[in-house]
Amino acid sequence: MNDRYDAGDAGYGAGPYEVVGYDEYGQPVYRQVPAQQAPQAQHVAYDPYTQQQGYGYDPYATGQQQPAPSYGSGRQQPAYDPYGSQAPYDPYATGTQEATGYDPYGQAASSGQQPRVAGQTAYIPQQAGPPEDPRTSQDTDPEPGEPDYHTEQFAFVEEPDGDSEDVIDWLKFTENRTERREEARRRARSRIVALVVVLALVAVGGVGYLWFAGKLPGLSSSDGKAGTATPVAAQKRNVLVVHLHNTAKGGTSTALLVDNTTTKQGTTVLLPNSLALTDDDGSTTTLAKSVDDDGTSGTRDQLDTVLGTSIQGTWRLDTPYLQNLVELVGNIEIDTDTDVPDPDAKKKGASPLVHQGRDQTLSGKMAVAYATYRAAGESQNAQLERFGQVMQGVLRKLSSDPSSATTTVQTLAQILDPPLTDKDLGAFLAKLADLAKSGDYKTALLPVQADGTLSAQTSGSVVKDILGGTAKSPAAGSAVRVSVQNATGVKDDTEKARVVLLNGGFTFLEGGSAAGTEATSKVLYADPADKADAAEVAKTLGLPAGSVTKGGVSSGADVSVVLGRDYQPSSS
């Protein structure tokens, strides 16, 4: 440690030097050995503004060192110590030393390369400062004329961090991925909720349909047939009333064409002319009289009231149009129940126009003759059933295509009653034609009591099950009920009298035929209150006023009529 060094050999000046320590770079620090032992060095107060030649740090220096000013102590001031306020500590010093300056950059005090002298440049180890940037650890002396400072001395100078953008991008990516996951969860929850709602609606709709169609376990239709919808009133039906007018012999025949879209069942409901209806003024009338007097709209409204149904339109079908319709579809095949004479035959005993039998092919003329035929002594119901057979035969031959069926209707060149149009009628008949071809079509007769009213026991199956309505016949006794017994010897006179009475607004009751004949006709009443009604019946039938007398009447009738040979049926 105290190796002596002859400065004369190195050129540092007179006197020997000895090593007193090593600086931070491992270079030896020397001090001159005085001739006499110097007194113990005294501590010198720290002057932060003192600059010593070659050791002080002057940020505004221009490269030339200035001598430090003297403060009268006769000694040099210590260099600026940025980390301490007391005399520096030299761990390598032995004995007393003078305070020396500290060069933070480890450079010699002068610009020349000289050994450091203990009295001037003794190494003073300092506390560890901030870690140095390896990029600036290699110090270089400033060029002449340049300031002697470095950027790393300023704490506010920040080097750009190359990883900062990566960190930001990663944060953004993490945030976006989190948002996407949350959005995916929300969408998944929305889909699950929507799926649950749809499944619930499907389940409710399926149960509702099964209930509506009567297919739920434990439920059955009113007639006991599977597949019939229940409740019956909730079924969807399209109903059209058709009136067949016999332009040659007079009289009408009425039927309802029903398309049950719920059960996929078509039906022709035959309505007897004796069906009692309520007129617009509240009085009681019959179906036959309503068709002749009130026309289409009035009769339709009255049928809706009595049957509790909803009829969408009226189709007036005169016999010439029926004949043309059968010819347009290419004739029909039906099972006939009787022989029908040719109405144009000039002599009796001619061959019948229509023969009784199965699968009889009928032309237009034959179909009209069969639909309007009523044998002597037959009720109108027999003729109605023949009319129903012809209508079902026409539907089986009609096209199931709505456009083709509409073309057939338009070819008839028939003027329809509003609001019914060619297109509506064609589409409606096409649906019924499809049902008739598939076997889902039937014909039913509406049971009507002798007084023209409907009975819940007899008509319930037709009114409720087929039409989905409720019978609301006029109150009993509101129409004069007339019982007719035929004593003329001509069977057809009963039917002619029936038509006349029905057209007159009376309720017709079938009294049968007498065992023999009577010369004169009689009009009888039991209650004096019915005398005026009896006189009106005689007038309607064209009988003399003297034929009205008090007597016994048939059960359920208000007035009884016995037709004698003097009865002259109306030609109309």
Side-chain angles (χ1 to χ4, degrees):
M1 287 294 291
N2 294 326
D3 295 338
R4 292 186 180 272
Y5 176 79
D6 190 356
D9 297 339
Y12 289 99
Y17 289 84
E18 64 178 348
V19 178
V20 297
Y22 296 87
D23 61 11
E24 61 183 320
Y25 296 100
Q27 295 177 0
V29 179
Y30 302 92
R31 74 171 180 176
Q32 187 176 9
V33 179
Q36 295 181 357
Q37 184 68 27
Q40 186 176 357
Q42 297 181 357
H43 291 284
V44 181
Y46 164 66
D47 185 354
Y49 298 99
T50 303
Q51 298 181 359
Q52 298 182 7
Q53 184 177 357
Y55 298 95
Y57 170 70
D58 184 7
Y60 303 101
T62 60
Q64 298 179 356
Q65 298 179 354
Q66 299 294 332
S70 176
Y71 293 87
S73 61
R75 293 189 299 266
Q76 289 182 335
Q77 299 296 324
Y80 168 69
D81 178 8
Y83 299 99
S85 59
Q86 296 178 354
Y89 165 73
D90 184 0
Y92 301 101
T94 58
T96 59
Q97 301 177 5
E98 292 183 351
T100 59
Y102 170 66
D103 182 2
Y105 301 103
Q107 301 295 332
S110 63
S111 61
Q113 193 67 280
Q114 298 178 359
R116 300 183 181 179
V117 182
Q120 300 175 352
T121 59
Y123 171 71
I124 305 174
Q126 301 295 328
Q127 296 179 356
E132 294 183 355
D133 191 338
R135 293 172 295 183
T136 60
S137 61
Q138 186 65 31
D139 296 330
T140 57
D141 293 332
E143 295 294 333
E146 293 184 359
D148 186 13
Y149 63 88
H150 304 276
T151 57
E152 59 270 14
Q153 295 174 285
F154 299 94
F156 60 85
V157 177
E158 296 182 358
E159 290 294 335
D161 190 350
D163 297 334
S164 60
E165 286 296 329
D166 295 337
V167 173
I168 294 174
D169 292 341
W170 171 254
L171 292 176
K172 291 181 179 179
F173 169 75
T174 304
E175 182 179 2
N176 293 338
R177 184 171 63 178
T178 303
E179 292 178 353
R180 286 195 298 270
R181 288 178 178 174
E182 290 298 328
E183 182 64 23
R185 292 192 186 97
R186 286 193 294 270
R187 286 197 299 266
R189 286 194 296 269
S190 300
R191 292 192 187 100
I192 293 174
V193 172
L195 180 61
V196 170
V197 172
V198 171
L199 292 177
L201 292 177
V202 170
V204 173
V207 174
Y209 170 76
L210 293 176
W211 171 82
F212 186 76
K215 298 180 180 180
L216 284 177
L219 297 180
S220 61
S221 61
S222 59
D223 58 3
K225 295 181 180 179
T228 303
T230 54
V232 177
Q235 299 172 8
K236 172 64 178 176
R237 301 172 178 83
N238 296 320
V239 183
L240 184 70
V241 58
V242 54
H243 300 295
L244 176 64
H245 288 256
N246 189 344
T247 57
K249 296 182 178 180
T252 60
S253 302
T254 302
L256 298 178
L257 304 180
V258 182
D259 174 23
N260 192 320
T261 59
T262 303
T263 62
K264 308 298 181 183
Q265 177 69 45
T267 309
T268 297
V269 179
L270 305 173
L271 305 180
N273 282 336
S274 60
L275 177 63
L277 304 177
T278 302
D279 209 343
D280 294 338
D281 57 2
S283 61
T284 302
T285 185
T286 60
L287 175 59
K289 184 174 178 58
S290 176
V291 174
D292 290 339
D293 296 345
D294 299 331
T296 58
S297 60
T299 302
R300 183 174 69 244
D301 294 340
Q302 293 166 14
L303 288 173
D304 283 341
T305 301
V306 170
L307 301 175
T309 187
S310 177
I311 301 174
Q312 284 78 37
T314 301
W315 181 20
R316 172 170 175 158
L317 183 62
D318 293 347
T319 49
Y321 291 110
L322 176 59
Q323 179 176 337
N324 294 338
L325 180 60
V326 172
E327 293 175 352
L328 285 173
V329 299
N331 299 335
I332 62 174
E333 289 77 27
I334 61 174
D335 297 336
T336 58
D337 60 357
T338 186
D339 290 339
V340 178
D342 187 351
D344 296 333
K346 296 182 179 179
K347 60 178 181 179
K348 295 182 178 181
S351 178
L353 179 63
V354 178
H355 294 275
Q356 180 183 2
R358 293 179 59 84
D359 297 329
Q360 296 294 310
T361 300
L362 304 183
S363 64
K365 180 180 179 181
M366 297 167 67
V368 170
Y370 185 79
T372 59
Y373 179 71
R374 179 182 178 187
E378 285 185 333
S379 66
Q380 194 228 353
N381 291 347
Q383 177 265 321
L384 268 179
E385 290 176 350
R386 297 186 182 106
F387 171 50
Q389 286 182 280
V390 171
M391 290 303 301
Q392 188 166 345
V394 170
L395 292 174
R396 281 198 297 262
K397 293 298 292 290
L398 189 67
S399 174
S400 300
D401 179 62
S403 60
S404 299
T406 301
T407 301
T408 301
V409 172
Q410 292 173 342
T411 306
L412 292 175
Q414 182 182 10
I415 300 176
L416 301 176
D417 296 325
L420 189 63
T421 64
D422 293 340
K423 185 176 180 180
D424 293 339
L425 180 58
F428 179 76
L429 294 178
K431 293 180 180 179
L432 293 181
D434 185 59
L435 296 174
K437 293 173 183 177
S438 62
D440 298 322
Y441 201 95
K442 63 183 179 180
T443 300
L445 175 67
L446 177 67
V448 177
Q449 297 185 108
D451 60 355
T453 59
L454 300 175
S455 170
Q457 291 75 19
T458 59
S459 62
S461 60
V462 175
V463 176
K464 180 180 179 181
D465 298 339
I466 298 178
L467 300 178
T470 303
K472 299 178 182 179
S473 293
S478 58
V480 178
R481 292 165 292 178
V482 180
S483 174
V484 178
Q485 183 182 39
N486 188 357
T488 63
V490 180
K491 294 182 179 180
D492 197 35
D493 286 347
T494 302
E495 173 60 19
K496 293 178 179 179
R498 185 189 68 83
V499 173
V500 172
L501 289 173
L502 289 176
N503 290 339
F506 299 99
T507 298
F508 176 81
L509 302 178
E510 179 68 49
S513 298
T517 62
E518 297 284 343
T520 60
S521 300
K522 296 178 182 178
V523 180
L524 305 175
Y525 63 92
D527 191 343
D530 296 329
K531 182 178 181 180
D533 292 334
E536 186 64 25
V537 169
K539 182 180 179 179
T540 301
L541 292 175
L543 300 176
S547 63
V548 178
T549 183
K550 187 176 180 180
V553 298
S554 301
S555 175
D558 299 318
V559 177
S560 292
V561 177
V562 178
L563 295 178
R565 292 189 300 270
D566 63 340
Y567 171 65
Q568 299 295 324
S570 175
S571 58
S572 56

